[in-house]
Amino acid sequence: MKQERGHFRSKIGVILATAGSAVGLGNIWRFPYMTGHDGGAAFIFLYIICVLLLGVPGMVAEFVVGRHTSANAAKAYRKISGGGGWSVIGYMGVFTSMVILGFYAVVAGWCLEYFFASVAGNVVGYPGGAGEAFRAFSTNSYLPMVFTVAFILLTHAVVTRGVRKGIERASNLLMPLLFILLLVLLVASCMLPGASAGIRFLFKPDFSQLSSGVMLDALGQAFFSLSLGTACLCTYASYFSRQTNLARSASQIAGIDTLVAILAGLIIFPAAFSVGVNPDSGPSLIFITLPEVFCKAFGGVPVVEYVVAVLFYALMVLAALTSTISMHEIGTSFFSEELGLPRGRGAWLETGICAVIGIFCALSSGAVPELRLFGLSLMECCDFLTSNILLPFGSFLTCLLVGWVVPRRVVEDEFTNWHTLRGGLFGVWLFVIRFVCPVCIAAVFLHQLRVI
Ligand code: PHE
C-alpha cells in the first residue's frame, strides 16, 4: 500500500526544523573550538563570508533536489538526474548520515550524562576535578554505550511520530527554548569579571592571523554546521510545500545557525578568558573546562552554579537532538520508501544500524582504545571519513549536478516557485553553483586530504 508522504505544515515549521538540523554540537562545541584554534574574530569574519558565498547557495541546490522530487535521498538523486551514476550522491548521503549519527550520538550521550549528573549536582565539584570526572565516565565499560543508545532511542521516538507531529512539533518547541537558554547563559557569562577580553577576541579581528589554512578551516566548518553534503537538507526539502521560498529559507536558516554559533562563542570565550582557561581545548572545552569555569565563575553562589550547569547541558542535549532527528530521518525515509517498509520499521532499521556504529565508537573512545583503524580510534576515524571526505564530496557533486546536469528550466522553476517569485538572483546563484562552489569545495577537500 502506498503511504501518504508527510509535509511540514507551516512556514515557521520549515525554518525551525531545518534550522534545528543545522544548529547542534557543530555550533556549540566545534565552532568555539575552531574559533579558538584559528585566532578569533578574523576566523569568524571568513566563516561568515563562506556561509554567505558558498553555504547558502549550496543549501539552495540541495533544496532544489529535495523539493523537486519529494522523495527520500536515494530516489531524489536518481529521479532528478534521470538515473545513472549521479544516484550515488543519494546513497552516499544515507551512508554518511548513518555514520555521523553513530559517532555524534556518543558526544550527545556524554551531554545527556552530564545533564543528569548536573541535575544530581555532581558535575561541578567532583573529587579530583572535572578532568577526572570526564575520564571516569568516558572510560567506564558500559555507561557511554548506554547513553549513546539512549540518545539514539530518544531520536527514534521523535522521528517515528512522523513529520508533522514529531519533527515539526519538537522543533517548534525546542528551538525557541534553545534561544532563551542561550541568552540567559550569555548574560551570565558576559557579566563575569574580565569577560571583555573574550568579547574583544570574538569581535576585534587581527587579520595578521589569516592564512590559507584558516580560510579552508572556515569553509569546512561552514559545511558541517549547515548540515551540507549529507542529503539531510534534500530530505527535509522533500517535505517543503510548493510555496516555500527556497532561497529565502536557506538565508534565514544560515542566519539562525550563524547567530547560534556566535551566541555560543559569547558564552564560552568571556567565561574562559575570565578564569584564564585556554580556548583551544577541543572536546574538553565543554566536558572538562566548562565545569571548572562554572565553578570558578559562579562558585560563590552555589544555586547559580547549579542552575547554570543544568541549563548549559540541557541546551547541549536539545541542540544535539534536533540535529540527530534530521540525520535519523534521512535513513528512516530511505528504508521505508526504498524497501517498501512501514515507516516505523524503517526507523527501527536505521536505529539498529546507528546503535551498532555508536556502540563501537563509544567503546573505541573509552573502554576499548584498541579499536583503531588507520592509526585513529574508530570514533576519530568515523569523524574523519565523514567530515573531511564524504561531506565535501557530496556537496561538490550536488553543485555539479544541479549546476550542469539538471535542465535549467527545472532549476529555475524551483528557484522562482514556478515564476511566482522575483527571479532576479537566479543568474547569480547559478553562476556560484556552477563555478564558485565546486572550485572552493575542491580546495577544501584537497586541503583536508593534505594534498594542498
Ligand atoms: N549541522 C549539525 C551541527 O552543527 C551536524 C549535522 C551534520 C547534522 C550533518 C546533520 C547532518 O551539529
Side-chain angles (χ1 to χ4, degrees):
M1 199 178 75
K2 187 148 174 23
Q3 292 173 51
E4 189 56 30
R5 279 194 114 245
H7 276 283
F8 290 126
R9 193 203 318 254
S10 62
K11 264 192 208 156
I12 190 77
V14 166
I15 302 293
L16 292 181
T18 318
S21 161
V23 174
L25 299 176
N27 304 59
I28 300 173
W29 162 70
R30 200 170 188 269
F31 177 79
Y33 160 68
M34 295 299 291
T35 305
H37 180 257
D38 283 335
F43 169 82
I44 296 181
F45 176 78
L46 277 186
Y47 171 79
I48 291 174
I49 293 183
C50 292
V51 168
L52 293 177
L53 191 68
L54 308 169
V56 175
M59 289 172 86
V60 178
E62 264 196 44
F63 284 167
V64 166
V65 178
R67 196 191 40 191
H68 180 70
T69 52
S70 274
N72 67 79
K75 188 168 169 197
Y77 279 95
R78 199 164 59 229
K79 221 164 133 183
I80 203 161
S81 62
W86 295 99
S87 320
V88 79
I89 309 174
Y91 292 104
M92 211 169 79
V94 174
F95 174 75
T96 309
S97 65
M98 287 195 295
V99 177
I100 296 186
L101 181 51
F103 79 79
Y104 199 92
V106 177
V107 184
W110 293 344
C111 297
L112 193 59
E113 201 275 343
Y114 264 63
F115 171 67
F116 287 129
S118 62
V119 170
N122 291 337
V123 160
V124 197
Y126 188 89
E132 181 52 31
F134 184 70
R135 204 197 55 76
F137 165 64
S138 64
T139 55
N140 181 291
S141 51
Y142 68 93
L143 271 184
M145 278 192 294
V146 170
F147 279 98
T148 301
V149 174
F151 207 93
I152 295 176
L153 289 176
L154 192 64
T155 309
H156 176 102
V158 180
V159 171
T160 46
R161 294 181 68 84
V163 173
R164 256 186 215 172
K165 276 208 198 125
I167 300 175
E168 187 170 353
R169 206 180 274 177
S171 309
N172 287 359
L173 182 78
L174 296 183
M175 290 302 290
L177 200 61
L178 187 86
F179 261 103
I180 296 168
L181 288 180
L182 275 172
L183 290 176
V184 170
L185 288 174
L186 185 146
V187 172
S189 178
C190 288
M191 275 167 41
L192 297 173
S196 56
I199 299 174
R200 260 200 312 281
F201 178 74
L202 277 178
F203 294 118
K204 202 158 172 278
D206 171 6
F207 287 108
S208 67
Q209 302 261 344
L210 288 188
S211 64
S212 66
V214 174
M215 168 77 202
L216 294 168
D217 278 348
L219 266 169
Q221 173 62 21
F223 286 138
F224 188 86
S225 192
L226 294 172
S227 312
L228 258 176
T230 52
C232 169
L233 299 175
C234 158
T235 303
Y236 268 24
S238 73
Y239 305 119
F240 288 3
S241 75
R242 282 170 70 96
Q243 279 80 41
T244 305
N245 181 332
L246 301 185
R248 189 193 290 160
S249 302
S251 316
Q252 287 168 336
I253 291 155
I256 295 173
D257 190 64
T258 307
L259 187 65
V260 172
I262 290 176
L263 292 182
L266 272 172
I267 292 170
I268 288 161
F269 289 112
F273 274 76
S274 167
V275 294
V277 160
N278 180 9
D280 182 9
S281 333
S284 58
L285 191 63
I286 282 164
F287 299 104
I288 299 176
T289 317
L290 267 182
E292 303 278 9
V293 170
F294 295 149
C295 188
K296 286 187 189 145
F298 307 105
V301 196
V303 182
V304 179
E305 180 190 302
Y306 177 85
V307 172
V308 169
V310 172
L311 280 182
F312 185 78
Y313 293 107
L315 174 99
M316 292 298 293
V317 169
L318 298 183
L321 184 62
T322 50
S323 296
T324 52
I325 288 170
S326 73
M327 296 172 208
H328 197 290
E329 177 59 24
I330 303 172
T332 299
S333 60
F334 170 75
F335 287 125
S336 59
E337 293 176 16
E338 291 292 292
L339 305 182
L341 298 173
R343 204 180 136 83
R345 282 224 201 122
W348 274 119
L349 199 53
E350 168 79 4
T351 295
I353 296 172
C354 295
V356 172
I357 299 174
I359 286 172
F360 278 105
C361 286
L363 287 174
S364 78
S365 66
V368 191
E370 298 79 28
L371 273 174
R372 296 175 78 79
L373 266 180
F374 310 114
L376 298 170
S377 77
L378 192 64
M379 171 113 167
E380 291 165 332
C381 195
C382 288
D383 189 1
F384 181 85
L385 176 72
T386 52
S387 311
N388 295 11
I389 298 176
L390 295 173
L391 285 189
F393 194 49
S395 208
F396 172 80
L397 291 178
T398 301
C399 288
L400 291 183
L401 172 67
V402 175
W404 298 98
V405 178
V406 179
R408 187 189 162 110
R409 181 189 46 77
V410 169
V411 179
E412 191 166 2
D413 280 350
E414 289 294 336
F415 192 92
T416 60
N417 283 0
W418 298 268
H419 300 277
T420 58
L421 302 172
R422 275 185 299 125
L425 285 176
F426 176 70
V428 180
W429 171 74
L430 197 63
F431 176 81
V432 173
I433 283 297
R434 284 184 162 176
F435 299 101
V436 182
C437 289
V439 169
C440 293
I441 293 168
V444 175
F445 189 54
L446 294 175
H447 169 71
Q448 290 187 334
L449 284 176
R450 306 279 181 266
V451 177
I452 55 171

